[in-house]
Amino acid sequence: MATRTDAPTRREQILKEAARLFAERGFHGVGVDEIGAAVGISGPGLYRHFAGKDAMLAELLVGISERLLTGARRRLAEADGVAPETVLDSLIEGHIDFALDDRPLITLHDRELDRLRDADRKRVRQLQRQYVELWVGLVREIYPGLAEPAARSAVHSVFGLLNSTPHLGRPGSLPGRTATAELLHRMARGAFAAAAGEG
């Protein structure tokens, strides 16, 4: 995914701090006043941007699912005439960017998805299924001998590997972003090759 160079909006600042606080202390362990203080506004001032904490959580979890799917579609659309292996590398890089740069959202998804309203939770699941299917189609193009159920399992397994970043220790304890990204990339490609019996 492309890195933004413009300054984040106040709404984006609020969401970033909400994600960090929710991931650190749990959804119910954080008050609106604390989120406001983290971005330099009063708790009630947040209501000019969001209806409440539930709305923040929904925007965070639906939003990241939309971003991942949109980014994957863009990478595929830009890949006309490019070798499928190169496209897979691009998808992996996009997901690694998310996994390294948005670690609180991974924790939030794991812990708090069930707190979403039914409609929002269904939307997240729908977006995630579409995202998975983009990967499955590409993996099967590269490894045509890999049956669809096995390819889908391999994709979910690779997501589990890449989304393990919140459990890798404190950011300062990792070998550095570039080295970590390269390691995750090699492991992801190795996992797909192993699933296809080429490992």
Side-chain angles (χ1 to χ4, degrees), residues 79-100:
D80 190 34
V82 176
E85 291 84 356
T86 302
V87 182
L88 180 60
D89 284 334
S90 179
L91 286 184
I92 292 170
E93 287 164 9
H95 199 99
I96 288 172
D97 285 344
F98 156 67
L100 291 176

Side-chain angles (χ1 to χ4, degrees), residues 178-198:
T178 300
T180 302
E182 290 172 353
L183 173 63
L184 290 171
H185 198 122
R186 288 195 305 273
M187 294 174 72
R189 286 303 302 264
F192 286 129
E198 298 182 10

Side-chain angles (χ1 to χ4, degrees), residues 71-168:
R73 284 176 170 162
R74 177 180 52 77
R75 288 169 184 270
L76 287 168
E78 292 171 352
D80 190 34
V82 176
E85 291 84 356
T86 302
V87 182
L88 180 60
D89 284 334
S90 179
L91 286 184
I92 292 170
E93 287 164 9
H95 199 99
I96 288 172
D97 285 344
F98 156 67
L100 291 176
D101 298 338
D102 292 302
R103 293 166 70 183
L105 287 177
I106 297 172
T107 300
L108 201 58
H109 179 277
D110 290 346
R111 290 184 189 164
E112 312 290 357
L113 181 64
D114 288 343
R115 296 193 190 282
L116 292 182
R117 295 179 310 154
D118 285 346
D120 290 326
R121 189 168 57 252
K122 287 177 182 175
R123 177 65 177 151
V124 169
R125 294 300 192 197
Q126 178 188 50
L127 292 164
Q128 290 174 338
R129 281 194 297 273
Q130 293 175 49
Y131 184 61
V132 167
E133 293 311 308
L134 291 179
W135 284 67
V136 169
L138 184 60
V139 168
R140 293 196 71 210
E141 185 177 352
I142 296 168
Y143 304 106
L146 194 59
E148 187 173 323
R152 190 168 291 107
S153 294
V155 168
H156 281 291
S157 296
V158 166
F159 289 169
L161 165 70
L162 299 180
N163 292 346
S164 69
T165 53
H167 311 291
L168 297 180

Side-chain angles (χ1 to χ4, degrees), residues 52-63:
K53 288 198 312 178
D54 289 333
M56 291 180 213
L57 182 64
E59 186 155 335
L60 284 164
L61 295 182
V62 173

